[in-house]
Amino acid sequence: MKHILILSLFFLNLVTLSAQEAGATVDRGKETHEEMEKLDQGSNLERKQFKEISEKNRERMTNGIKLLTIVSANFGDEVPESKASLDKIKKDYQIAQRYYYRNAYIIAGKSVQKVEKDLTEVLSKFAKVYDAKTQNLLSECADSISQTEQAQLTVDSQEGGKPATSSFIDVSEAAHKLKIAYYQLGLALEMSKDNRFYEAIVHYRIAKDYGIKILTDLKEAEADKKAIQDKFTKDLADNRNLISGAAAAPAK
């Protein structure tokens, strides 16, 4: 009888543990009212503060997730696990919003803070990718401007001046654009130092756009101009906040 009793108690414990584990797997934000109240403990002041956190960060979080969706589609292969991180961030923010709409403001605000931290971390990795791309692009622009300038100085010094068949390229406009591009790069670096990676990526994009324009304008032949556009197809789409290669919606 003792053995039977011991076995019965053992299986009862197993069933209890299984039930507890099953309860732990309930989707966050879908807890019962009683469970929600246990999770959402705090003072009225805390409730007000965390409610404001959810509301004030809503637009920033939405824009950040949209940005991460695009940059991970365009350059996700350069930031390992970024797409998995994006999926988790989207899911966690949906849960935070679910808590908010159920008036569980404390846990909603805390969830938003966690999502914001994760979003910032992933965007910081992409900011480093953008920095490398922009630095290399602008260096290429500086080389192209100086090479074009030197080539035209050589032509100018030849007897008889510039050949009639040669098209003169005014590098002063390209040099002016490059100054603007480097200014945008400087702003991006300042934003990164302040952990404002969303804004940093915006400025990196502007700098890259100027850089691609410079390289294109310095080419004379249409085929060469097209080659530059083809080389930076993904960047050009990304600069417009679009996913490269995404099919356009059919016209109705």
Side-chain angles (χ1 to χ4, degrees), residues 40 42-56 100 103-107 109:
D40 198 50
S43 66
N44 288 333
L45 178 60
E46 287 177 308
R47 192 172 303 280
K48 181 176 182 295
Q49 289 173 336
F50 281 112
K51 182 174 184 285
E52 289 178 351
I53 287 172
S54 294
E55 293 171 348
K56 289 181 178 180
Y100 174 83
N103 297 336
Y105 297 126
I106 293 176
I107 189 171

Side-chain angles (χ1 to χ4, degrees), residues 160-186:
K162 297 186 288 292
T165 56
S166 176
S167 298
F168 180 77
I169 299 176
D170 185 1
V171 298
S172 62
E173 185 176 350
H176 177 66
K177 285 187 172 77
L178 186 57
K179 286 182 179 179
I180 297 174
Y182 269 111
Y183 174 71
Q184 291 295 327
L185 174 60

Side-chain angles (χ1 to χ4, degrees), residues 224-242:
D224 292 335
K225 290 179 181 291
K226 185 178 183 304
I228 295 294
Q229 298 289 307
D230 291 344
K231 178 181 177 181
F232 294 102
T233 296
K234 188 179 291 187
D235 295 272
L236 287 169
D238 185 76
N239 291 346
R240 298 194 301 275
N241 207 32
L242 300 173

Side-chain angles (χ1 to χ4, degrees), residues 9 16-17 19 43 60 71 76 98 103 171 219 237 239 245 251:
L9 290 172
T16 303
L17 287 172
S43 66
R60 187 152 53 104
V71 300
R98 192 182 293 160
N103 297 336
V171 298
K219 299 297 182 182
N239 291 346

Side-chain angles (χ1 to χ4, degrees), residues 1-8:
M1 286 294 294
K2 286 185 178 180
H3 291 298
I4 295 173
L5 181 59
I6 291 171
L7 286 173
S8 298

